[in-house]
Amino acid sequence: MPQDPMDFEWSYWIEWGRERILWLLAGHLLVSQVSRLLVEKYKPWCLMAYGMAACWLLLGIRGFAVILLHATVSFAVAQFQLSLLTWLCSLILLSTLRIPAVEEAKRKWYDTENDYYLLLFTVSVRCLFCTSFSLEYCWHGRAQKSSHSFLWMLAYVFYYPMFHNGPLMNFDEFSKQMRRQEAFSLKTNLCVLIVGVIRIFFWWCLAELMIHLMYIHALCSSAPPLESASYWALSGLALAQVLFFYVKYLVLYGVPALLLQMDGLKPPALPCCVSLMHSFTKMWRSFDVGLHRFLVRYIYVPMGGSQSSLLGTLFSTALTFAFVSYWHGGQSYLWYWGALNWLGVIVENAVKRILSISVIEDLI
């Protein structure tokens, strides 16, 4: 039975996974386990070297050079230890991905659009990693030079399981866990691997069934079926879409999360089932946990967050959603999506504050 071809993200990553990425992840697993067994002290550098080699192999020398250049520029700017300057540098580097002349030049490096998109997606995610390291350097650099060296930045940026599509782990968490040396048990790791592979295979089968039997995305991309459908049918389609999105990310984030566990790291929690969500705030906190931690640590809290005045809270929340929209591509529909999410979070928190008033509580 033919599958629904309209979900680009699923088709794209499954195709790349089958061709090369899964094999490269298997190579990372082998290097990781051997280094943990024999040279635990040098594990970060072994994994860094493997990640750089895998990047070179998949993206070519020019793609590798672009990512290395982004890391070098970010590190150089971080030496000034000014958070505002670091953010300005990060936004400028991110904006280079949307300059038409630069896009065309990068396209010519590769034979297919898929190869170019792999570079685009990878560099977008690397921008977040460079930003995380640079801001941590601004806050702690002078006091902790050894753990915030350029070598540690490369180990973080080129860590392969999170290289192409995430999930995101902030540098402070990554460095603490990577430096921690634990007792290594090959038998325990093998059990974790087997259980993890079985779970991911189940999620993948479920996603493939949805793609082959439900045709959710094909229906939603065609106007006539939507115009003739009842409100109940439209609601069902919307629910089916977000449920598929949830299952998809259980696979896309589940594979790297399993490898992080095998490396002795604690990965960000996998997405919560959207059927259990009843609030905007919980959705943002528990679907992409790594991205949420990044946004809270580097944007929301530094801008005042919930500890500031009402206008300050509105501004810091708006700035957070503005960055999310811009990072995802900055198209007009993403700005509308970000604005609606911001409005949902604001209204939800306003209602919570009203309901927490003692008179209202007593009335309820």
Side-chain angles (χ1 to χ4, degrees):
M1 184 179 292
Q3 72 173 42
D4 182 349
M6 299 307 293
D7 189 273
F8 169 77
E9 190 177 32
W10 178 257
S11 305
Y12 182 83
W13 288 116
I14 291 299
E15 183 181 341
W16 266 108
R18 286 170 178 162
E19 286 184 3
R20 295 187 189 179
I21 291 178
L22 275 180
W23 298 105
L24 289 172
L25 289 173
H28 170 92
L29 179 62
L30 180 62
V31 171
S32 166
Q33 299 309 293
V34 170
S35 60
R36 288 191 76 186
L37 192 63
L38 302 177
V39 284
E40 175 79 17
K41 185 179 178 181
Y42 301 102
K43 181 183 72 172
W45 321 126
C46 294
L47 298 182
M48 177 193 73
Y50 180 85
M52 295 174 87
C55 172
W56 192 316
L57 179 66
L58 268 189
L59 300 176
I61 179 63
R62 289 171 175 171
F64 172 79
V66 167
I67 294 171
L68 188 60
L69 178 64
H70 276 231
T72 305
V73 170
S74 296
F75 185 78
V77 172
Q79 302 308 302
F80 293 99
Q81 293 194 290
L82 297 170
S83 298
L84 186 60
L85 190 61
T86 292
W87 264 116
L88 184 62
C89 171
S90 298
L91 291 173
I92 290 171
L93 290 174
L94 195 58
S95 69
T96 61
L97 303 179
R98 295 161 179 77
I99 299 173
V102 176
E103 286 183 339
E104 284 305 311
K106 289 177 181 176
R107 273 190 169 91
K108 291 175 183 177
W109 298 348
Y110 301 104
D111 297 327
T112 67
E113 281 285 292
N114 274 2
D115 292 331
Y116 164 71
Y117 281 132
L118 185 65
L119 174 66
L120 181 65
F121 297 149
T122 304
V123 175
S124 296
V125 176
R126 293 308 92 201
C127 279
L128 297 184
F129 279 68
C130 289
T131 303
S132 175
F133 176 90
S134 298
L135 289 171
E136 294 294 340
Y137 186 94
C138 289
W139 298 341
H140 309 107
R142 302 293 182 198
Q144 301 176 3
K145 282 186 178 180
S146 61
S147 59
H148 290 79
S149 65
F150 185 60
L151 203 60
W152 266 106
M153 184 180 197
L154 294 181
Y156 176 56
V157 169
F158 285 98
Y159 181 69
Y160 195 68
M162 301 185 290
F163 191 66
H164 297 294
N165 194 40
L168 180 60
M169 178 186 282
N170 294 338
F171 178 73
D172 62 318
E173 300 172 44
F174 176 85
S175 60
K176 285 175 188 174
Q177 295 180 37
M178 189 61 82
R179 289 199 308 271
R180 185 178 62 225
Q181 296 186 14
E182 296 178 332
F184 176 72
S185 169
L186 193 60
K187 184 179 178 181
T188 303
N189 263 20
L190 188 60
C191 292
V192 170
L193 179 64
I194 291 170
V195 172
V197 168
I198 291 170
R199 289 175 68 193
I200 292 166
F201 181 72
F202 171 76
W203 296 330
W204 174 78
C205 289
L206 183 57
E208 284 291 315
L209 278 172
M210 295 174 81
I211 279 283
H212 281 84
L213 299 178
M214 298 179 72
Y215 296 92
I216 312 155
H217 303 90
L219 286 169
C220 290
S221 62
S222 178
L226 297 179
E227 289 171 354
S228 61
S230 66
Y231 289 129
W232 282 106
L234 290 173
S235 301
L237 276 173
L239 179 60
Q241 270 215 326
V242 294
L243 284 172
F244 177 78
F245 191 75
Y246 160 66
V247 175
K248 173 170 67 177
Y249 269 87
L250 284 179
V251 177
L252 297 182
Y253 279 178
V255 173
L258 176 59
L259 290 174
L260 262 72
Q261 281 184 282
M262 299 296 291
D263 291 346
L265 308 180
K266 183 181 179 182
L270 291 178
C272 246
C273 180
V274 291
S275 295
L276 302 177
M277 306 289 179
H278 63 273
S279 73
F280 279 96
T281 308
K282 186 178 180 184
M283 184 72 180
W284 277 98
R285 283 178 179 170
S286 56
F287 192 86
D288 192 335
V289 175
L291 180 60
H292 175 260
R293 288 175 181 168
F294 176 92
L295 297 171
V296 169
R297 182 169 176 82
Y298 301 122
I299 302 177
Y300 185 69
V301 171
M303 294 309 298
S306 58
Q307 302 303 313
S308 61
S309 63
L310 178 60
L311 283 177
T313 302
L314 291 174
F315 177 71
S316 54
T317 309
L319 205 60
T320 302
F321 281 110
F323 175 77
V324 171
S325 301
Y326 184 69
W327 178 72
H328 275 91
Q331 291 88 350
S332 57
Y333 71 89
L334 287 168
W335 292 111
Y336 296 140
W337 167 75
L340 288 171
N341 275 276
W342 172 76
L343 187 62
V345 169
I346 293 303
V347 169
E348 190 172 88
N349 285 320
V351 171
K352 282 182 181 177
R353 288 190 180 189
I354 292 169
L355 294 179
S356 65
I357 298 171
S358 56
V359 176
I360 304 294
E361 280 187 336
D362 293 340
L363 186 63
I364 291 173

